[in-house]
Amino acid sequence: MKKLLAIAAIGMATIAPAHSEVIRVVVSDGQAANAMSTMSATSNDKCVTALESGENICFKGRQQLARSMSISAASQPQNPFYVLEINTESTAEADLLNTLADTGWFKTVDADTLMKSAEALNDEYYFDQTYLYDDPTLPNALNFEAANDLAANTGDAVRVMVIDTGFFPVDYDMVYNEGYSFTDSGYAEIGTDFLTELSIEERPHGTNAASIIAAQRNNTDGIAGASDNVHLFAAKVGILGSAYSFAIANAVLYAAQELDTSAYPDLEPLAEPMDVINISMGTIKDDCSSFMVYAVNKALEKGIIVIGAAGNLTANAKDFYPASCDGVISIGASSEQSDLSSFSNYGDSISVVAQGEYIYALAPQGSTYSVMMNAGTSFSAPLIAGAAAIAKRVDKTINPAVVKFLMEMTARPLTDTLCATFGCGSGMLNATALTQQVIDLKTGDQPQITHALSDEDECTQDWFVTHFGDKAPLCSMYKVNFLNGLSSERNTFKLSKISKGTSFTAHVDDGTAEMPITILSTKEAETYINDLDADTYDYAYQFCSMQEGEMTCEPSYIALDTSLTALPKACAK
């Protein structure tokens, strides 16, 4: 009961998610109200076709509403406003409002927005966790509260795996939903006993990182985690802050349901892949090992967002692994003043930064918990993992490469001397802007290739072909929309094709497999190509960026829909 009450009281005054199964609309009668009212009183629900989605939407008129509630409309005070509760399957709120306004039936059409109490969270240390705030006057504010309010807090929890050492029991303010020890180093043993005994002197690094993401929010205790509704898996891979990379890779494989569990006693296969992985560990080395590349790629194929700490050596982050493995989102640290932290690694391989100084986290103390402050990219990375968890709450199917792109696109650039000199990625995380972009993308145009004239009606198509067909290859021209019109200065889209039904990534593990054929690279959100062959090839794109003077592409390929590429009738003449 306590948890339910806490969820109901979270946050500042907010607006309910824009896209839902039932949308409440407040209307007042317009010039056509009498006709609409008469029809509603004598017929079934009034129906209209949504302007954008094309969905057929039906609802009760005012007189029907009055009768269904056993109220005589004539005997009641005539408030000009009343509520319509409208069921939709594919229509966004904005589309519904525009559609109703376009009918002329109503004088006014407004959303009936859900408000929440304007209390701040009541966690004991929340007022010190200013990095979670939305306050634009605070240079370190990462805007987590509005982000949590934007994301629907219903349905299945987001599954987050924290790969680390030093997990201790702190059940008063955080719950380990699952856990396993993947290591037999020192006093640790492979098995289900992943928690370190309180009598052992070890830094609670894993507990610290996990609590930054998933400490219970608004429960009067301890700290507030970055994200609501987290299902936490503690993957113990070492002791005393150290772990072998093979154990880390195996934990990643387990998260992706790709680990042979026969060598791990009592390790039950996961019912579904994890959604987010946080790795606040790493080391300087020459490259990403082949087994780590394999593990990360398997995670990415399963849609898992992998977050890695960029390191605390005041060095170029390009040599710090696994954060610099392709596909991992590498995280630097900033100060309370939004400068790059003096200890943080830097460079082009970093995606974004978050505060990494004075970060509050849970630690064990007897049979309960204490709160300690931490510094390091080990503790900025979990904040980004929390933002990734919120993004996954909005859209469980979103591609990890898309999340990375949106994080970088919505980040706030940092202009301090260290960032200007050495580089610190795209800047500081903006969790609210990231979440809003995920929402917009989910309801917007999906990646697709369409015929260049497909947006025009037949008459206009015929006119274009007649007047310009001999001057431009209109009939063999196709428009590529990569990501709902989004682009960024840092990003380049790389368009490729491969024989139909062939995996774009098979060549990574199989040297004899077909390689994708590169068609073009562009920074533009939309581009045009000639001579599409959707019967023979599948088409997809990658996100790429310049790192240390070289173009580096994400391992993931984003499929492009080619179902709307048929030639217009004007081209068949």
Side-chain angles (χ1 to χ4, degrees):
M1 185 67 176
K2 180 179 179 182
K3 186 176 180 181
L4 293 175
L5 292 173
I7 291 173
I10 286 173
M12 300 176 66
T14 56
I15 297 175
H19 192 68
S20 61
E21 294 183 358
V22 178
I23 301 177
R24 289 172 58 94
V25 182
V26 179
V27 298
S28 62
D29 290 333
Q31 294 179 351
N34 290 335
M36 192 264 185
S37 178
T38 301
M39 294 174 66
S40 297
T42 58
S43 64
N44 294 326
D45 294 353
K46 185 64 178 173
C47 297
V48 64
T49 301
L51 295 175
E52 292 185 17
S53 72
E55 180 183 0
N56 189 44
I57 298 169
C58 298
F59 55 91
K60 291 180 173 64
R62 185 167 194 170
Q63 298 298 325
Q64 273 188 294
L65 288 170
R67 288 202 313 279
S68 68
M69 293 184 292
S70 300
I71 297 173
S72 171
S75 66
Q76 301 299 314
Q78 290 299 297
N79 183 341
F81 299 97
Y82 56 100
V83 173
L84 302 175
E85 288 191 343
I86 301 177
N87 290 290
T88 73
E89 294 293 334
S90 59
T91 303
E93 182 181 87
D95 185 13
L96 178 60
L97 297 178
N98 290 334
T99 299
L100 295 179
D102 189 65
T103 63
W105 295 332
F106 309 107
K107 183 178 180 180
T108 61
V109 177
D110 297 283
D112 188 12
T113 54
L114 178 65
M115 301 295 178
K116 296 184 181 180
S117 58
E119 304 173 355
L121 301 187
N122 63 18
D123 302 270
E124 185 178 358
Y125 285 85
Y126 177 72
F127 287 101
D128 298 306
Q129 295 179 270
T130 55
Y131 43 86
L132 298 180
Y133 289 12
D134 301 327
D135 189 344
T137 66
L138 294 175
N140 63 331
L142 300 174
N143 302 321
F144 271 98
E145 301 316 324
N148 274 294
D149 287 328
L150 281 171
N153 200 18
T154 57
D156 295 336
V158 175
R159 299 167 62 82
V160 178
M161 174 180 281
V162 175
I163 298 176
D164 217 308
T165 67
F167 291 99
F168 286 82
V170 286
D171 291 342
Y172 280 87
D173 197 33
M174 183 175 70
V175 175
Y176 300 106
N177 301 99
E178 298 179 84
Y180 195 84
S181 173
F182 290 87
T183 181
D184 57 1
S185 300
Y187 52 78
E189 295 182 357
I190 292 176
T192 56
D193 189 8
F194 63 93
L195 292 175
T196 302
E197 294 182 9
L198 293 173
S199 60
I200 296 175
E201 291 189 8
E202 178 175 5
R203 182 176 179 181
H205 195 271
T207 294
N208 292 163
S211 65
I212 293 167
I213 302 168
Q216 295 183 43
R217 293 163 56 84
N218 216 41
N219 67 338
T220 73
D221 290 326
I223 65 170
S227 175
D228 280 324
N229 208 13
V230 171
H231 180 101
L232 179 62
F233 190 109
K236 182 177 181 177
V237 291
I239 63 171
L240 302 175
S242 297
Y244 285 106
S245 55
F246 191 64
I248 295 173
N250 281 343
V252 173
L253 285 173
Y254 179 68
Q257 298 179 302
E258 294 287 344
L259 180 68
D260 179 1
T261 60
S262 61
Y264 295 87
D266 301 318
L267 180 59
E268 296 293 331
L270 291 174
E272 58 182 309
M274 305 303 292
D275 296 304
V276 179
I277 294 173
N278 183 84
I279 308 174
S280 288
M281 307 185 75
T283 190
I284 293 286
K285 60 194 304 285
D286 292 335
D287 56 19
C288 188
S289 60
S290 56
F291 59 83
M292 189 66 76
V293 169
Y294 177 81
V296 170
N297 284 344
K298 290 298 182 182
L300 297 175
E301 288 172 9
K302 296 296 180 71
I304 303 172
I305 303 167
V306 185
I307 307 296
N312 310 318
L313 302 173
T314 319
N316 197 318
K318 70 180 179 65
D319 299 319
F320 195 84
Y321 294 93
S324 289
C325 294
D326 289 343
V328 178
I329 302 177
S330 180
I331 308 304
S334 59
S335 70
E336 286 187 301
Q337 290 73 43
S338 295
D339 300 327
L340 187 68
S341 294
S342 60
F343 55 78
S344 178
N345 286 352
Y346 50 78
D348 293 340
S349 65
I350 289 177
S351 289
V352 293
V353 303
Q355 185 171 322
E357 303 177 23
Y358 303 103
I359 302 298
Y360 288 79
L362 298 180
Q365 186 177 47
S367 61
T368 177
Y369 67 87
S370 64
V371 172
M372 61 186 294
M373 284 193 298
N374 296 275
T377 58
S378 284
F379 310 108
S380 57
L383 288 170
I384 305 297
I390 296 172
K392 276 284 191 174
R393 278 162 52 196
V394 172
D395 186 358
K396 279 292 190 79
T397 65
I398 192 167
N399 189 289
V402 174
V403 174
K404 181 179 180 181
F405 168 83
L406 294 177
M407 273 188 186
E408 294 175 351
M409 187 192 77
T410 57
R412 175 164 56 88
L414 300 184
T415 58
D416 64 281
T417 302
L418 286 176
C419 281
T421 304
F422 300 109
C424 54
S426 295
M428 179 172 284
L429 170 75
N430 185 334
T432 297
L434 166 64
T435 306
Q436 186 62 61
Q437 286 293 343
V438 175
I439 292 171
D440 293 345
L441 191 61
K442 185 178 181 181
T443 58
D445 291 335
Q446 299 306 301
Q448 61 182 339
I449 301 177
T450 58
H451 194 275
L453 297 175
S454 62
D455 291 338
E456 310 297 338
D457 58 42
E458 288 188 20
C459 182
T460 305
Q461 290 174 350
D462 189 71
W463 187 89
F464 270 113
V465 172
T466 300
H467 289 81
F468 299 102
D470 59 342
K471 300 179 179 65
L474 292 179
C475 288
S476 61
M477 187 175 292
Y478 298 85
K479 182 172 70 174
V480 183
N481 182 346
F482 291 107
L483 197 66
N484 200 30
L486 300 176
S487 63
S488 73
E489 180 58 33
R490 184 174 180 177
N491 179 71
T492 296
F493 297 105
K494 180 180 177 182
L495 176 65
S496 301
K497 65 180 181 181
I498 200 167
S499 296
K500 205 163 190 69
T502 303
S503 168
F504 277 88
T505 58
H507 66 281
V508 175
D509 298 322
D510 181 1
T512 65
E514 180 181 350
M515 294 276 292
I517 301 170
T518 300
I519 299 174
L520 58 81
S521 295
T522 178
K523 285 186 171 296
E524 301 300 322
E526 294 182 345
T527 191
Y528 289 86
I529 60 174
N530 292 319
D531 302 323
L532 180 89
D533 186 357
D535 293 328
T536 305
Y537 294 101
D538 289 326
Y539 293 78
Y541 72 90
Q542 294 167 279
F543 295 100
C544 306
S545 61
M546 293 297 296
Q547 295 186 18
E548 306 299 323
E550 295 183 2
M551 185 65 72
T552 301
C553 297
E554 296 296 314
S556 299
Y557 285 78
I558 316 297
L560 288 153
D561 179 15
T562 58
S563 61
L564 299 177
T565 55
L567 283 176
K569 290 182 179 179
C571 294
K573 295 179 180 179

